[in-house]
Amino acid sequence: MPDSKPLLTIVLGEPGPLDRESAMYRRLLAARLRYESQFTSLHVEETLTTEVIARLCGIIESKYVVFMETSHQLAASYMTTMLEYLRTRSVYLAEPVVYNGAIASNVASTKIDDAYRYVRDTDVFGVAFNTRRLADALEAIGDVDRSALYLSYRLYWSIGTVKPLATGFSVASDTKSAIGLQIAKDVTRLVPLIPTASKEVRLHLVRYVALFLRGMRAGKVTQVALANLRDVVRSYRLVELLRFVEPLQPVEASWIRWLSDPESDTHLYKQLSNSDSYLSFREGQPTEGTQPPLYELQFGGDTVVIEKSYRPRDLRPGYSRAASYDFYSRPITPGSTLIFFDRPLQADDNAEHLYEYFTANHAEYTEAYFALNPKSPDWERLQAKGFKLIPIFTTEFYEKFLISDLVVSSQIYNIRYRGKSFANSRFVYLQHGIQLNDMTDWILSKYFDLFVATGQLEADYLRKLAPVETLNSGLPRFEALTRTPHEPQHLLFMPTWRFNLHQVSTEQFAQSEYFRAIDAVLADPKLLAFLEETGRTLHVKLHPNVEKRAGQFRFSKNVVRTDLSYREAIASAEMVFTDYSSAVLDAAYIGTPIAYYHWDAADFFHEQPYEGRVDYRDDGLGPVFEEHAELIKHIVHQDYLGPHELFSARRERFFQGVDPQRINAKIVERMLSL
């Protein structure tokens, strides 16, 4: 009698109902037409933890098991490739090519090299485990976090090399790179200390440790002992692989060096013009009477303190070495090459405004360039204005970057070329907006010589993290921002985004509180009647991540998706409201009334990769509404037109230190002195 047990079980770990309209789920259903007898699926309505996986291994009867979530993505060939491979052999492990973002159209063309192995997500998802061997291993490694289970399994069974099959799987998120990972509170070790000579496994391990440390900067507390962490770093010689960590996780790279050699506790972080910045790591409590540390973290019963300091440039290791080129050795002069840019496909932000001011007032600097993608709708506009344009992220751009003495941008990108990066060269960060949230971990992961702040409140916050680099000048675009009457009058709604909605299906998006709250405003009968009676229009500026779903919202004659730029939409609006976007501060700066609609105030920051810093009710520059009816009443009664002394006083305090006539001049003076 043939074996009636399926070859493979797909475990869908998803608390609550499955997203049955997701591309992944529909692809699994389609595979049943051909392979129904060979695989089965199991919906687990709880978060997949190591403990849950161990329990599942005791009840799953198939030879192999794969763990997934409906937000993940599968190549069209995934099920066929996996089943045909597993059907003819007995293996410990089979895995596809794993992506963080979109799956390549030609998976076979993906280069499986050290760079791939480092960025490959090493959670359990998408990989076919031998169910019995996984159960056996879990008896020994069942105390590790689920995020370390794939790595621990490979260590336990000495699987040094895995050749991915010619099909693709994507976890459809690279959030870990930005915010790290949080492990279960009761976990006391990262991975088992089982020797391996495999560089492939060690590359996975060094990324895992870096992500764990990045998550620790936010989480602050773990039961993993410092001794275990040091053992992992030393046993697997992770210091040898830090060149992969440094570009995106420079703090963690320095941290791993210290874990390997605690005697070497101070590490160069960023070269600067006059004094370089350093990070110091030490075990023990903060020293009383000194500057508060950047971080005070708990590892089991141990405390680790991370501090920042500045030292003269000539004390830098290797400063006098002839073979080490110093990109600060040339002062900024009229002969210098300078590069400005905003987003690759969109200008009209702070770099464009500063570039226009700079070239008009410092014409002697003849090698100042603005970088942009030639496909950008702004290319012809800037060309007509006389901007010296270069195609961004091309060979020409990188060659200009190599010889440049200064880069100025409203964005921070990881630009590296022939030994040059922002770690060892001048970079002015203009920002895109104002820091209203606690972005400490993000800020301390970036390289900059100058960080532009707007107002004393933001400057005081930034100076705790970057006292030398912070400049309270205001954003360059503010200098050109003025209120412009617009007929007919219009209001402006600018909702921001929710990170947890990145990969949801159309159905799930329509069911989200985010969609329902916004759509209810756009279609509110009282609001629509008010707009019609007064001849007003509500312009809606959706977040770029929502644009592809714009067709789901109920726009109408008087509620429209605006085709105005941010600057034009804000400058001409009678009133601007948002949920949490800092873009409304542009409106507040020019005296336009603003308001906040916090329909998800209780949960918003739980689902974002940052914490709140400003109390909107105590420090916001406009009223805060949590109820739909309150917001609509505020608008239709035109309460926003009345005098608001409270918000006027707050506005004055918020923008303290910003001279409206000298924003650009102040930045230019400072940047040319770097």
Side-chain angles (χ1 to χ4, degrees):
M1 178 181 291
D3 189 351
S4 61
K5 296 177 182 177
L7 176 67
L8 175 67
T9 298
I10 305 289
V11 174
L12 297 170
E14 197 128 347
L18 290 174
D19 182 359
R20 298 179 186 276
E21 287 193 4
S22 71
M24 188 277 271
Y25 188 79
R26 288 184 288 111
R27 190 147 277 171
L28 287 179
L29 285 181
R32 285 184 177 175
L33 287 173
R34 184 176 178 186
Y35 300 109
E36 189 162 14
S37 64
Q38 297 182 44
F39 83 94
T40 187
S41 60
L42 174 64
H43 178 202
V44 178
E45 296 190 59
E46 57 184 317
T47 302
L48 285 178
T49 64
T50 303
E51 182 181 358
V52 170
I53 289 173
R55 188 172 73 241
L56 291 172
C57 286
I59 61 174
I60 290 173
E61 296 184 339
S62 61
K63 187 175 181 179
Y64 297 102
V65 59
V66 174
F67 303 98
M68 296 183 184
E69 295 177 356
T70 54
S71 61
H72 296 157
Q73 297 173 4
L74 309 179
S77 62
Y78 178 87
M79 291 303 300
T80 299
T81 302
M82 295 293 279
L83 288 169
E84 290 185 357
Y85 178 81
L86 296 172
R87 189 170 57 240
T88 59
R89 50 183 55 82
S90 291
V91 294
Y92 285 91
L93 190 72
E95 66 179 58
V97 179
V98 178
Y99 300 88
N100 296 323
I103 297 172
S105 56
N106 180 11
V107 173
S109 68
T110 300
K111 192 174 182 180
I112 308 301
D113 55 7
D114 287 349
Y116 163 83
R117 295 183 183 99
Y118 177 72
V119 301
R120 180 214 187 281
D121 188 271
T122 55
D123 212 321
V124 296
F125 301 115
V127 173
F129 292 92
N130 185 301
T131 309
R132 298 283 71 77
R133 299 294 77 78
L134 180 57
D136 292 341
L138 281 166
E139 293 182 6
I141 61 173
D143 59 335
V144 302
D145 188 70
R146 186 206 71 201
S147 61
L149 190 52
Y150 166 83
L151 280 172
S152 300
Y153 181 83
R154 288 187 61 173
L155 288 168
Y156 186 80
W157 292 117
S158 300
I159 307 171
T161 303
V162 176
K163 183 180 179 181
L165 304 179
T167 189
F169 175 90
S170 177
V171 294
S173 172
D174 198 21
T175 306
K176 285 182 189 175
S177 295
I179 65 174
L181 58 86
Q182 303 282 340
I183 66 173
K185 294 180 180 180
D186 58 346
V187 170
T188 58
R189 65 169 179 165
L190 287 187
V191 293
L193 297 174
I194 300 173
T196 182
S198 167
K199 184 181 181 183
E200 182 177 313
V201 174
R202 290 170 57 233
L203 280 166
H204 293 330
L205 280 166
V206 75
R207 182 175 189 266
Y208 185 78
V209 171
L211 294 178
F212 166 72
L213 294 175
R214 175 64 181 84
M216 269 299 295
R217 290 202 275 143
K220 306 292 190 293
V221 178
T222 181
Q223 291 304 311
V224 175
L226 199 57
N228 175 254
L229 198 52
R230 286 202 174 109
D231 286 343
V232 170
V233 169
R234 290 167 175 167
S235 297
Y236 297 114
R237 309 188 315 281
L238 300 187
V239 169
E240 298 173 6
L241 303 172
L242 288 182
R243 68 184 182 278
F244 295 95
V245 181
E246 285 172 322
L248 293 178
Q249 283 114 2
V251 173
E252 287 67 37
S254 296
W255 200 342
I256 290 170
R257 284 194 178 91
W258 173 71
L259 288 167
S260 178
D261 180 14
E263 297 300 316
S264 176
D265 60 358
T266 301
H267 300 266
L268 174 66
Y269 184 70
K270 167 79 174 92
Q271 294 182 26
L272 298 170
S273 298
N274 299 313
S275 59
D276 297 330
S277 66
Y278 288 77
L279 292 177
S280 299
F281 302 82
R282 59 184 175 82
E283 191 176 347
Q285 299 296 323
T287 304
E288 290 187 15
T290 62
Q291 181 78 10
L294 298 176
Y295 296 101
E296 182 180 346
L297 310 170
Q298 300 297 319
F299 290 83
D302 304 313
T303 300
V304 171
V305 170
I306 305 178
E307 299 168 312
K308 185 176 184 179
S309 61
Y310 299 88
R311 297 183 178 186
R313 299 183 69 237
D314 56 7
L315 296 181
R316 182 196 316 149
Y319 176 74
S320 302
R321 193 180 305 143
S324 178
Y325 184 75
D326 185 355
F327 290 102
Y328 288 85
S329 60
R330 288 194 312 251
I332 301 173
T333 68
S336 293
T337 296
L338 285 68
I339 301 175
F340 296 70
F341 58 87
D342 289 313
R343 287 188 170 94
L345 284 164
Q346 183 181 5
D348 196 28
D349 205 342
N350 291 310
E352 177 188 329
H353 290 280
L354 186 64
Y355 179 89
E356 189 165 20
Y357 170 88
F358 181 75
T359 53
N361 291 274
H362 295 273
E364 69 275 19
Y365 285 82
T366 58
E367 297 299 310
Y369 297 88
F370 193 90
L372 186 67
N373 190 313
K375 295 181 179 179
S376 167
D378 293 316
W379 181 275
E380 289 187 6
R381 178 178 63 83
L382 298 186
Q383 202 169 43
K385 292 175 74 171
F387 279 37
K388 294 182 73 171
L389 299 174
I390 56 172
I392 197 167
F393 302 147
T394 61
T395 300
E396 180 184 1
F397 171 85
Y398 286 113
E399 290 295 332
K400 292 289 186 188
F401 169 66
L402 186 62
I403 64 172
S404 68
D405 290 323
L406 180 67
V407 176
V408 183
S409 179
S410 61
Q411 310 294 319
I412 294 187
Y413 297 114
N414 179 33
I415 299 175
R416 292 172 174 262
Y417 186 64
R418 296 175 64 180
K420 185 178 184 181
S421 70
F422 292 149
N424 60 14
S425 64
R426 300 181 185 95
F427 175 64
V428 172
Y429 181 43
L430 302 174
Q431 294 204 78
H432 164 64
I434 298 173
Q435 302 283 339
L436 290 180
N437 301 309
D438 186 357
M439 302 293 286
T440 295
D441 300 331
W442 183 87
I443 292 167
L444 292 174
S445 298
K446 304 301 179 183
Y447 297 123
F448 46 80
D449 294 68
L450 188 62
F451 196 121
V452 169
T454 299
Q456 201 61 46
L457 292 177
E458 185 187 29
D460 287 347
Y461 161 67
L462 291 173
R463 285 189 180 116
K464 294 176 183 177
L465 311 175
V468 171
E469 300 93 326
T470 299
L471 174 69
N472 180 15
S473 62
L475 300 177
R477 66 175 183 260
F478 281 3
E479 195 165 315
L481 193 62
T482 57
R483 296 188 74 173
T484 56
H486 186 277
E487 293 296 336
Q489 290 180 310
H490 74 262
L491 313 177
L492 178 62
F493 183 22
M494 304 175 69
T496 191
W497 178 236
R498 303 296 186 274
F499 277 77
N500 63 320
L501 296 177
H502 269 301
Q503 300 299 329
V504 301
S505 68
T506 300
E507 178 189 32
Q508 274 202 320
F509 181 76
Q511 293 174 353
S512 68
E513 186 180 12
Y514 175 81
F515 170 80
R516 292 200 305 267
I518 294 174
D519 194 56
V521 171
L522 308 190
D524 183 274
K526 292 181 180 178
L527 176 63
L528 293 176
F530 165 75
L531 296 173
E532 181 68 28
E533 291 167 6
T534 62
R536 287 177 168 86
T537 303
L538 174 62
H539 286 219
V540 182
K541 196 74 172 174
L542 294 173
H543 190 278
N545 288 337
V546 191
E547 282 293 343
K548 64 181 179 181
R549 303 182 188 272
Q552 293 181 246
F553 293 98
R554 288 179 286 176
F555 292 105
S556 57
K557 183 183 75 170
N558 294 320
V559 177
V560 299
R561 287 171 65 195
T562 184
D563 56 3
L564 299 175
S565 69
Y566 277 98
R567 181 161 55 102
E568 293 169 334
I570 289 171
S572 58
E574 183 185 25
M575 175 260 195
V576 182
F577 63 105
T578 184
D579 47 0
Y580 297 92
S581 174
S582 66
V584 299
L585 296 176
D586 289 39
Y589 181 77
I590 57 175
T592 300
I594 69 171
Y596 296 96
Y597 178 29
H598 291 176
W599 66 80
D600 56 352
D603 302 316
F604 176 75
F605 288 108
H606 295 160
E607 299 173 342
Q608 301 299 103
Y610 45 75
E611 300 289 334
R613 183 176 66 84
V614 171
D615 188 315
Y616 288 85
R617 290 198 176 276
D618 292 340
D619 299 306
L621 306 189
V624 178
F625 304 103
E626 293 185 6
E627 298 297 329
H628 171 95
E630 293 177 351
L631 171 69
I632 300 302
K633 179 182 177 183
H634 178 74
I635 295 173
V636 301
H637 287 190
Q638 301 183 56
D639 292 343
Y640 57 86
L641 294 176
H644 293 283
E645 294 181 5
L646 173 64
F647 299 125
S648 296
R650 288 182 184 177
R651 175 182 171 277
E652 185 174 342
R653 186 174 79 249
F654 188 92
F655 293 108
Q656 183 181 351
V658 176
D659 183 344
Q661 307 304 317
R662 294 199 73 252
I663 293 174
N664 289 304
K666 193 171 182 179
I667 296 171
V668 169
E669 288 170 8
R670 179 71 177 272
M671 79 184 199
L672 293 181
S673 71
L674 293 174

